[in-house]
Amino acid sequence: MADIAGIDLAQVLSSLEEQGYCHIKQVPDSYDYISALSSLGPLVAQYQGDLIREVQPNPAVPEGANSAASTSAATPHTEFYEFPGMPPRYVALWCVRPAVPDGGATTLADGYRFLAGFTADERLRLSSEDRDWRSRPTLSAEGIAPASCRTPALVQHRGRVVMRFSTRDLTRDGELTSAYIDRGQEFFHTHHIAVRLEERAILIWDNWRMIHARTAFDDRRRHLRRILIGEAA
Ligand SMILES: [Fe+2]
C-alpha cells in the first residue's frame, strides 16, 4: 500500500474525507514529495506550466498586496476559482522554511459547513446561476496572465459539491452573491483552524470543500512549496 511520508494512503484519504485536510509532520530529509503526493491524483500544471509553485515573498509584488507572494494576510478563497472546468481536487503545501518567529499560518474552514447555512433554494441558485470570477490583480505583478471565467459557485460532480469561493474576486452582482461573500468571510473568521507548518511538514486539503487563507508574517525568508492535484481516475 502506498504511503505519504510513512502515513498509509488510506489514512491520509480518510483524514481528507473526515476533516477536509491532513497535516503530516517530520517528513524525512530528501523526501520525494512529488512522487508521494502523486498517489492522490495527477498533478495539475500551475500558472506558468510549473508543477511546483514556490510560495515565498516576491519583490515584484507590492507589500500589503493580497497575494501568496507577499508577506500580508491572504483573504479566504478556494484555489483556481478563476479558471473554467473542475478546480484541483487537492492542494498540498510543504514547508522548506517557516516564518520566524511566527506568522504565515495557513488557515482553513469547512466550506460544506458554511453551505449548510443557506436554504435549499439559495443553494440551488448558487448551483445554477453563473457568476463572474477573475484572478487576483496581484498575479500580473508576478508576470502571470490574469484569467476569468463565468461559472456557478457550486457544481455537483460525482455525488459531491465542488465549491468556488473568493471574498475579493467574485463579482458582487446581487444580493445572494454578496451574502455568499459576506457570510463566507464571517464564517471563516469564526470557524477557521490555523496550521503553521514546521520545516518538513505537509498540509493537504480538499479544495472542493475547504476555504483557505493565510496570516501575515514578517520573515521574508519564509518558503513553502505548493502543488495542485487533480481528480484521481
Ligand atoms: Fe490559495
Side-chain angles (χ1 to χ4, degrees):
M1 177 85 185
D3 69 84
I4 297 179
I7 312 290
D8 269 1
L9 191 56
Q11 201 179 324
V12 172
L13 287 167
S14 119
S15 172
L16 286 164
E17 189 67 37
E18 281 161 27
Q19 58 184 10
Y21 66 94
C22 181
H23 182 188
I24 300 169
K25 300 174 189 174
Q26 297 181 322
V27 177
D29 277 331
S30 312
Y31 190 65
D32 186 351
Y33 291 88
I34 290 287
S35 70
L37 291 165
S38 296
S39 57
L40 290 169
L43 300 195
V44 175
Q46 305 195 42
Y47 304 113
Q48 290 163 308
D50 300 332
L51 291 180
I52 299 179
R53 176 163 163 80
E54 306 291 345
V55 181
Q56 53 194 149
N58 180 336
V61 175
E63 276 310 304
N66 176 41
S67 163
S70 78
T71 57
S72 309
T75 51
H77 61 286
T78 56
E79 213 54 65
F80 269 41
Y81 49 77
E82 76 269 47
F83 294 96
M86 212 52 75
R89 179 79 173 88
Y90 301 114
V91 178
L93 287 176
W94 68 90
C95 180
V96 179
R97 187 189 163 92
V100 176
D102 53 21
T106 303
T107 45
L108 291 164
D110 187 344
Y112 289 174
R113 264 188 74 198
F114 161 58
L115 292 177
F118 287 84
T119 65
D121 179 57
E122 286 170 331
R123 285 200 300 274
L124 186 64
R125 286 182 56 202
L126 289 166
S127 303
S128 57
E129 297 171 1
D130 283 339
R131 290 186 158 72
D132 289 310
W133 307 82
R134 60 179 186 278
S135 293
R136 268 167 296 147
T138 48
L139 273 185
S140 51
E142 296 179 64
I144 297 166
S148 63
C149 71
R150 195 167 158 71
T151 192
L154 311 178
V155 170
Q156 311 293 326
H157 176 72
R158 295 189 180 163
R160 288 181 193 274
V161 174
V162 179
M163 177 181 185
R164 277 178 167 79
F165 187 79
S166 169
T167 54
R168 291 261 181 124
D169 304 315
L170 165 59
T171 303
R172 288 178 182 264
D173 58 2
E175 219 169 273
L176 180 58
T177 312
S178 285
Y180 187 68
I181 295 168
D182 296 338
R183 284 156 64 176
Q185 182 146 299
E186 176 63 30
F187 180 89
F188 191 88
H189 179 73
T190 311
H191 296 286
H192 71 265
I193 56 119
V195 178
R196 182 175 169 278
L197 287 176
E198 297 292 341
E199 196 174 320
R200 293 184 291 108
I202 307 175
L203 181 64
I204 309 163
W205 67 88
D206 181 344
N207 184 53
W208 291 356
R209 164 179 172 186
M210 304 299 282
I211 303 172
H212 71 279
R214 183 192 69 198
T215 65
F217 57 97
D218 293 323
D219 181 1
R220 297 187 65 84
R221 294 169 302 176
R222 176 186 186 265
H223 183 189
L224 270 55
R225 292 195 163 116
R226 181 184 85 179
I227 61 168
L228 304 175
I229 302 165
E231 187 180 17

